Amino acid sequence: MANASEFGKVAVLLGGKSAEREVSLDSGRAVLEALLRSGVNAEAFDPQERSVTELVNYDRAFIVLHGRGGEDGQIQGALEWLNVPYTGTGVQGSAIGMDKVKTKQVWQGSELPTAPYRIVTNDSDLNAVVDSIGLPFIIKPVHEGSSIGMSKVERIEDFAIAIEKATEHDAVVMAEKWISGREFTIVILNGQALPVIRLEPPKDVAFYDYETKYNRDDVQYGIPCGLSEDEEKRLQNLSLRAFQAVGASGWGRIDAMQDEHGNFWLLEVNTVPGMTSHSLVPKAAQAVGYSFDELCVAILEQTLTGTAH
């Protein structure tokens, strides 16, 4: 483990102006406290309240900005321009990872399994969408994280309301085939896939949505995940390939499903995952012996070795 003094002055980037601001503030505070406990000279830096040009006064940055502005390559590009090393994925991988359609196109081009989808608008031919991907499907804003603006559509009559909800957050909206089965998340850290986590939302919710992710305490997180050893290894390898295909690096998370026939389907990549008390990265890291403080330092160490991006 690096000596804390090697890091110099560290900006913990948190908050920002995306729809995920509150979650980012929670994640950022947790990371900041962990780094301070570890002896790192770290400070909170909220780009909504300060000019990013001030980042030139720091030796490196720990990015915990979720959503647009933080996870889409914008802040990464500013840091590259200022020559400040930063955690996680670089500009291009961040831009691809934040765009659900671009991510799917890369995965399809890499022959990786991902659920069928269509870009949709209010004017879309609903029958064509249903013929293409079937019912039910899920409506998602293409450039949002944390399940913001998502709705499950089980009947054609629900389509208009789902589109309206999604377009409040994004001009580009997609319909994705609903995969019934078991939901998993796979944390990637320093080129390794950590133990798979099975997500079991409460029975009264349709899917692992924003409210369930951050505000409920009755979600079950399974480690071990209930897969056979061979299946878990297969899902870990698939997730590593998916992570690398979009150009992600350093640390992050892949979300996937296993359908009733045992097939795995990749859903999304998350290049700046949550670091709150409810978050999945600390849970997976704990399973391989990392305390939260050690995890934060391990992520920051990527900026010393150049393994982040």
Side-chain angles (χ1 to χ4, degrees):
M1 193 162 130
N3 189 310
S5 62
E6 289 181 59
F7 297 119
K9 191 176 177 186
V10 178
V12 176
L13 288 162
L14 78 178
K17 55 187 180 181
S18 82
E20 298 176 74
R21 175 175 171 80
E22 291 308 313
V23 180
S24 175
L25 287 169
D26 286 349
S27 288
R29 287 188 204 105
V31 169
L32 176 62
E33 287 165 12
L35 294 179
L36 291 173
R37 282 193 299 267
S38 303
V40 176
N41 177 16
E43 293 178 1
F45 191 107
D46 186 344
Q48 182 167 282
E49 295 172 358
R50 296 170 68 180
S51 167
V52 293
T53 56
E54 292 180 50
L55 288 166
V56 77
N57 301 316
Y58 293 84
D59 296 298
R60 62 201 70 250
F62 194 125
I63 300 175
V64 212
L65 287 166
H66 305 318
R68 281 186 260 196
E71 219 167 328
D72 56 4
Q74 288 187 45
I75 197 69
Q76 289 80 3
L79 290 162
E80 298 251 348
W81 182 258
L82 298 170
N83 205 25
V84 177
Y86 56 90
T87 55
T89 296
V91 177
Q92 186 179 25
S94 298
I96 293 169
M98 192 67 202
D99 186 316
K100 294 180 176 71
V101 170
K102 292 282 186 294
T103 296
K104 280 182 167 292
Q105 289 169 340
V106 168
W107 285 345
Q108 288 173 332
S110 306
E111 298 185 334
L112 293 166
T114 185
Y117 72 98
R118 290 279 294 264
I119 294 174
V120 292
T121 67
N122 273 322
D123 304 321
S124 292
D125 180 342
L126 260 178
N127 291 320
V129 174
V130 173
D131 288 346
S132 172
I133 62 176
L135 278 169
F137 53 78
I138 188 160
I139 294 289
K140 298 179 175 182
V142 169
H143 304 97
E144 283 293 355
S146 287
S147 304
I148 287 168
M150 290 189 189
S151 305
K152 183 180 180 183
V153 174
E154 299 187 75
R155 305 171 309 143
I156 285 183
E157 301 89 87
D158 302 331
F159 181 75
I161 296 166
I163 286 275
E164 192 178 325
K165 181 179 172 184
T167 50
E168 284 175 16
H169 302 280
D170 197 350
V172 189
V173 175
M174 65 189 274
E176 181 183 66
K177 181 180 175 64
W178 181 267
I179 306 289
S180 293
R182 299 192 289 176
E183 186 170 357
F184 298 97
T185 197
I186 305 89
V187 171
I188 312 292
L189 181 65
N190 292 336
Q192 301 289 320
L194 300 188
V196 175
I197 302 176
R198 182 179 175 192
L199 308 177
E200 293 186 70
K203 296 281 186 277
D204 63 326
V205 297
F207 61 94
Y208 191 52
D209 60 7
Y210 185 92
E211 174 68 20
T212 310
K213 276 179 179 164
Y214 299 113
N215 299 324
R216 293 184 62 150
D217 294 312
D218 51 356
V219 180
Q220 300 293 312
Y221 301 102
I223 307 178
C225 63
L227 292 169
S228 70
E229 196 176 327
D230 284 351
E231 281 182 316
E232 181 163 12
K233 200 156 278 169
R234 187 153 56 92
L235 182 52
Q236 287 172 316
N237 289 336
L238 184 64
S239 300
L240 273 173
R241 285 172 57 208
F243 195 70
Q244 289 157 359
V246 298
S249 57
W251 72 300
R253 219 183 68 222
I254 295 282
D255 296 330
M257 296 288 298
Q258 184 185 39
D259 67 21
E260 284 115 336
H261 306 291
N263 302 308
F264 290 119
W265 297 92
L266 298 163
L267 298 180
E268 293 176 25
V269 60
N270 191 327
T271 55
V272 185
M275 292 288 274
T276 70
S277 59
H278 281 61
S279 297
L280 300 163
V281 173
K283 292 180 195 299
Q286 188 179 16
V288 291
Y290 282 92
S291 70
F292 186 78
D293 293 9
E294 289 166 341
L295 169 64
C296 292
V297 171
I299 293 168
L300 188 59
E301 277 179 345
Q302 296 164 2
T303 64
L304 295 174
T305 59
T307 56
H309 45 269

